[in-house]
Amino acid sequence: MAPETPAQGPTLRYFTWDEVAQRSGREKERWLVIERKVYNISEFTRRHPGGSRVISHYAGQDATDPFVAFHINKGLVRKYMNSLLIGELSPEQPSFEPTKNKELTDEFRELRATVEQMGLMKANHVFFLLYLLHILLLDVAAWLTLWVFGTSYVPFILCAVLLSTVQAQAGWLQHDFGHLSVFSTSTWNHLLHHFVIGHLKGAPASWWNHLHFQHHAKPNCFRKDPDINMHPFFFALGKILSVELGKQKKKYMPYNHQHKYFFLIGPPALLPLYFQWYIFYFAIQRKKWVDLAWMTTFYVRLFLTYVPLLGVKGFLVLFFMVRFLESNWFVWVTQMNHIPMHIDHDRNMDWVSTQLQATCNVHKSAFNDWFSGHLNFQIEHHLFPTMPRHNYHKVAPLVQSLCAKHGIEYQSKPLLSAFADIVHSLKESGQLWLDAYLHQ
C-alpha cells in the first residue's frame, strides 16, 4: 500500500491496482473502483438493489462505465456510496487497468456525454403508451376471437397466436421498464415493470432483474453471464470454451450434434418446460411475496376469462400452446445477437470492447423493430442500457463511427441470417469440442 498522505479531516488512503485486484471476492473481501475512488462492497453486495451478483462481477475492477450505464439517478446513488468509500487510487496509478483501451474508453465517455446532450436518453412517453395499448388490444382481441367465433380449431389457433404475440410483445415492454428507460424516476419504472411482467406475463420482476443485469454487466462471460449457463451441461458454446471442454475430456451431451438437438431442447422447451416452473420456485424460495401477488393476478385473470369458454382441459392446452409459441419467438430473438459472438471467461476488458465482442445487430426495418422489440439494435442497447429503444437508430451512426475509428467490428445482418448463425455457431463449436476431445 502506498504511504498514507496527511489531509484535513479523515486520513485519505491511497491504493494501487494490484491491491484492488486482490479484492475480487475470492478471499471474501470485495473492492471496486468508480471514477478513481475505491469502495469496499464486501457487506453491501447483499443490499445492492440491482442484486448481489451483478456488482460482485466487478469486484477487483474499475466499474465506472457500468455504474454510469445502469443508474439513472447517479447523484442519489453516490450519497449511499459515501459510507462504502475507503480511499482512492494513488496519483501515479492510471484511471483503469492496463487490459482496457484508454483512448477508446475516453472517446466513448465523450460520446456518452454527447448522447445525453442530444436528449437521446429521454423517453417519448406517447411511444410507450401506444405500445402498451397495442398489447392490451391484442389481448382483448384474443378473447373476443373465441367469444365471437366459438372454440373450433381455427378460432382456437388464432387465439393462441394472438396471445403468443401479446406475451412476446409484453416481454419486450417489460424489458424497457426493467432497464429504467421509460420514466426519469426508478419508482415509476419499477411499478410499471411489476404490472407488465407480473400482471401481463405472470413472471417475477426480481427474477428478471437478478438474471438480466448480470447479462448486461458481463455479456458472454462464462460464470458471470447467466444467459450462457447452458454451457457445459447442455451445449458447448464459443470456440474457446468448447476447445477447453474438449481438452478436459468432458462430455455432458453429444455436443457435435448440438446444432440438431437445439431444435428440441432450445426454442420449443425453454419457457414451457423450464421458465414456467422455475419462476415460482424463485419467487417462493426468495420470499418475493409482492412479485408472487402480481403473478397471481395474471393466472387468476387468465383462468376466469378462458375457462368459461374452453373448460379446464381446453384452457391448459391453450396456455401451454401459447408458452410453446412464445418460447420459439423469445429464444430465436434473444440468442441471435449473442450465441454466434465471442464467448469466453471474463478478461476484464473495457466497456465498449466487452459489449461489442459479445453482441451484433440485425438490420433495421419496421418489422424487425417490432418483432424483436428493437433488440435488433443490440449493440446500442448494450452500450446504453437505459436509453429508450426508439432512439437506438439515432445513436447507431455515432457508435459505428467510434468502432470504425478503433478497428472494432460492428456486425449487422439480415434477420434470417442471424437465426441461421445460431445454428452454424453451434455446429462449429460442437466440432471444435469433438476435435479437442479426440485429439488434444
Side-chain angles (χ1 to χ4, degrees):
M1 186 183 300
E4 294 183 351
T5 303
Q8 294 182 349
T11 303
L12 188 65
R13 299 170 65 189
Y14 288 115
F15 302 100
T16 65
W17 274 115
D18 287 340
E19 291 172 309
V20 173
Q22 290 169 14
R23 274 73 174 192
S24 62
R26 293 184 181 88
E27 303 297 329
K28 293 186 178 179
E29 198 170 16
R30 294 181 174 93
W31 295 0
L32 56 72
V33 176
I34 297 174
E35 295 169 344
R36 297 190 61 86
K37 290 181 169 55
V38 182
Y39 298 90
N40 186 339
I41 60 168
S42 305
E43 300 299 323
F44 175 71
T45 54
R46 289 171 292 180
R47 305 193 311 273
H48 180 234
S52 62
R53 292 188 185 179
V54 64
I55 190 172
S56 297
H57 291 339
Y58 274 91
Q61 302 178 10
D62 176 70
T64 303
D65 292 306
F67 171 79
V68 172
F70 292 137
H71 299 93
I72 59 174
N73 191 340
K74 287 171 271 295
L76 177 65
V77 176
R78 285 190 178 96
K79 291 180 181 178
Y80 290 96
M81 291 165 54
N82 288 336
S83 62
L84 310 176
L85 182 64
I86 58 172
E88 61 182 58
L89 293 171
S90 299
E92 76 279 1
Q93 293 290 304
S95 294
F96 30 78
E97 307 92 313
T99 54
K100 296 175 178 174
N101 186 324
K102 180 181 185 303
E103 184 181 356
L104 175 60
T105 300
D106 288 342
E107 290 195 26
F108 173 74
R109 291 176 182 177
E110 292 176 7
L111 173 60
R112 169 89 194 193
T114 300
V115 164
E116 291 178 355
Q117 291 170 4
M118 293 171 66
L120 297 183
M121 304 304 290
K122 295 179 180 178
N124 180 345
H125 292 157
V126 174
F127 171 88
F128 290 103
L129 175 61
L130 293 175
Y131 204 91
L132 175 59
L133 287 176
H134 114 278
I135 291 170
L136 297 177
L137 287 172
L138 287 170
D139 209 359
V140 172
W143 183 84
L144 285 174
T145 299
L146 294 182
W147 187 68
V148 173
F149 299 105
T151 58
S152 59
Y153 181 77
V154 173
F156 186 88
I157 295 298
L158 179 57
C159 175
V161 170
L162 288 170
L163 282 177
S164 302
T165 304
V166 167
Q167 289 301 297
Q169 292 299 326
W172 309 144
L173 184 60
Q174 68 81 22
H175 177 265
D176 297 312
F177 291 116
H179 272 295
L180 314 178
S181 66
V182 181
F183 297 104
S184 59
T185 62
S186 297
T187 303
W188 278 104
N189 282 302
H190 290 320
L191 178 61
L192 269 294
H193 189 215
H194 277 294
F195 171 74
V196 177
I197 196 173
H199 182 67
L200 296 184
K201 286 191 62 63
S206 56
W207 163 75
W208 183 89
N209 291 337
H210 170 72
L211 295 176
H212 197 66
F213 290 140
Q214 292 184 71
H215 162 69
H216 270 270
K218 294 289 185 178
N220 281 8
C221 291
F222 184 47
R223 300 196 187 284
K224 290 192 174 185
D225 179 1
D227 282 13
I228 58 170
N229 277 353
M230 58 274 206
H231 176 95
F233 295 113
F234 294 102
F235 298 97
L237 299 179
K239 299 176 183 178
I240 294 173
L241 297 184
S242 298
V243 171
E244 182 181 275
L245 202 63
K247 288 180 177 179
Q248 294 169 351
K249 308 305 177 187
K250 291 183 178 180
K251 179 185 179 182
Y252 300 100
M253 294 286 281
Y255 303 121
N256 49 311
H257 297 291
Q258 64 183 4
H259 58 292
K260 301 171 188 173
Y261 66 71
F262 170 75
F263 289 93
L264 295 176
I265 68 172
L270 183 64
L271 268 63
L273 298 185
Y274 178 55
F275 278 1
Q276 182 58 50
W277 312 106
Y278 181 74
I279 55 177
F280 283 97
Y281 169 79
F282 181 95
I284 294 169
Q285 191 257 341
R286 296 184 180 235
K287 300 179 180 179
K288 301 294 183 180
W289 308 127
V290 173
D291 278 332
L292 203 58
W294 277 106
M295 293 165 63
T296 302
T297 66
F298 166 77
Y299 295 100
V300 169
R301 173 175 63 87
L302 218 60
F303 187 87
L304 292 178
T305 50
Y306 284 95
V307 168
L309 295 175
L310 297 169
V312 174
K313 182 180 178 181
F315 166 72
L316 290 175
V317 171
L318 175 67
F319 180 79
F320 283 102
M321 182 181 291
V322 169
R323 284 292 187 240
F324 167 79
L325 294 173
E326 178 198 358
S327 186
N328 281 276
W329 190 334
F330 173 80
V331 171
W332 285 105
V333 169
T334 57
Q335 300 310 304
M336 67 183 183
N337 304 109
H338 297 299
I339 292 298
M341 303 302 290
H342 184 74
I343 301 174
D344 197 358
H345 299 276
D346 180 18
R347 303 298 181 187
N348 191 17
M349 300 177 71
D350 56 85
W351 178 253
V352 178
S353 299
T354 297
Q355 305 301 332
L356 262 294
Q357 71 177 5
T359 56
C360 65
N361 281 5
V362 167
H363 297 339
K364 176 179 172 55
S365 73
F367 176 79
N368 288 353
D369 292 353
W370 175 84
F371 186 75
S372 68
H374 289 84
L375 294 182
N376 49 327
F377 287 96
Q378 193 72 215
I379 292 172
E380 288 70 27
H381 171 56
H382 267 255
L383 291 176
F384 307 99
T386 61
M387 177 181 286
R389 62 159 105 165
H390 51 72
N391 287 333
Y392 292 159
H393 73 281
K394 298 177 183 177
V395 75
L398 302 177
V399 174
Q400 290 173 31
S401 297
L402 180 68
C403 291
K405 180 176 180 180
H406 291 273
I408 298 174
E409 185 179 10
Y410 180 103
Q411 285 194 41
S412 185
K413 59 187 78 168
L415 181 65
L416 295 181
S417 296
F419 290 164
D421 283 348
I422 298 174
V423 181
H424 295 156
S425 66
L426 288 174
K427 184 177 182 180
E428 181 183 23
S429 58
Q431 190 59 47
L432 287 170
W433 166 81
L434 182 64
D435 291 343
Y437 186 82
L438 296 175
H439 306 300
Q440 295 187 36

